[in-house]
Amino acid sequence: MWLDQPRNPNAPLAGLKVLELARVLAGPWAGQILSDLGADVIKVESPEGDGTRLWGPPWVEHEGERSAAYYHATNRGKRSVVANFKNPDDLARVRALAESADVVLENFKTGTLAKFGLDYEVLSEANPGLVYCSITGFGQTGPRAHEAGYDFVIQGMSGFMALTGEPQGQPMKMGVSISDLSCGLYSVIGIQAALAMRERTGRGQHVDMALLDCSVGLLASQALHFLTTGTNPPRMGNEHAQVSAYGVFPVADGEVVLAPANDGLFRRLLKLLGRDDLLTETRFASNEARLANRAELDALIASETSKWQMDELLADCAEDGIPAGPINAIDQVFADRQVLARGMRVDLDGIPGVRSPFTFSEAELALDRPSPRKGRDG
C-alpha cells in the first residue's frame, strides 16, 4: 500500500512512512507538513471521517464528495483509509500499518489508544524504531493530563489572550488557531529530532507534545518580562512594549505599519517625513526616551503620515530601508507580488491550498496530490 503512489524522490523526507491517527487541526497540520516534505502519510479515519470534513461552509466538491474547505487546509497529500477501532479486523489492519511505519502521529486524549493496543508501549514492541508522537491539550503527565484541550481554551490559559487586544478592551484570541498550529509545528520538529536520534541509537521513542506547553513556549520575551521583573507585561494593542515609534499609522487612503526598530531607522523615518527638526529633541533622542514620550511621538508621526498616499509612503520607506508595510486583507495577500513570486499558493486537481513555507537549494516539496476523499485508499 505504501508504494502504490510514489512521492517525489527528491523531497527531503522521501521514503518516510507516517501513520496519522489524528483529526481536526494540530495533528493533521503536522501530518500535512510531513507530507509536503515528501513523507508518505496515511490518514486513518473513523467511519464518520475527520469531523472537519463537515466544518463548512465554504465547501469543496472533489471526487464526488462535498467536504469543507477547512479539511482541505490541513490534509493535502495524504492517503485515507477508514477503520473502526471496535472492529477486530480493522484494528489488526491499523496495527499492521504501524509495524511498517517510521512515525505514528496521534492526537487522542491521553490513554485512549491504550484501550485498543495502539499506544507506544504496545506498538514499539513490534517496531522498536517507531517514533510515536502524541499531541494532546496538556501532555501525558500532570494534573490535567486526561483533560481535553481546545485551542481557544489554551489561548486563554497560556497568556496569549492576556497579551492580545487593546489595553482597555477585552482580551482577544488570535485570528488563527495559534495554539493548535504552533503545536503542529513543534511536533514536526520533535519528530525530526527523534528520527535523527534514531540514526545514532537505532531506536525510536515517544514524543509527548502538549498544546499548553507549546503556547507557553511561544511567550518568548513576554515570559522573560515576567520572569525578570515579577510583573505581568501589559496588553498593548498594536504598540510594542520595548520599541517606539512602532505601530499602525494613518495615511490618506488607509493605514500602514511602521517599524523603525532602532535609532538609525527612526532618524531615517523623521527625515523622510520632513521632521528633521525632531532629531535634536532630547525627548526622542533614544528608544528609552521615545518610550517615555510615546503618545506625543505617535501623534506627531501620525500627523505627518496622514498627508501621504499609502503606495507613495511605502515605496519611499522601501527605498530608504525603513521597515514598513500595508495591512492586507487575505485577498490582497494572495495578490501580493512577493507572495506570488514565492509560489505560496498551490492548486492541486482543482483544489487551492497554501504550501508549507520551505524552500531548499537541493530538494523540492512533494506537492503532488490534494486532500483525499474519505477511505479513498482502503
Side-chain angles (χ1 to χ4, degrees), residues 196-208:
M197 187 171 178
R198 187 179 72 175
E199 291 296 309
R200 302 197 307 273
T201 67
R203 292 194 58 81
Q205 60 185 295
H206 189 190
V207 182
D208 173 10

Side-chain angles (χ1 to χ4, degrees), residues 283-301:
R283 66 188 192 279
F284 305 138
S286 68
N287 184 66
E288 186 174 2
R290 292 192 290 275
L291 284 171
N293 296 281
R294 185 200 302 269
E296 181 183 5
L297 177 60
D298 285 355
L300 287 168
I301 292 176

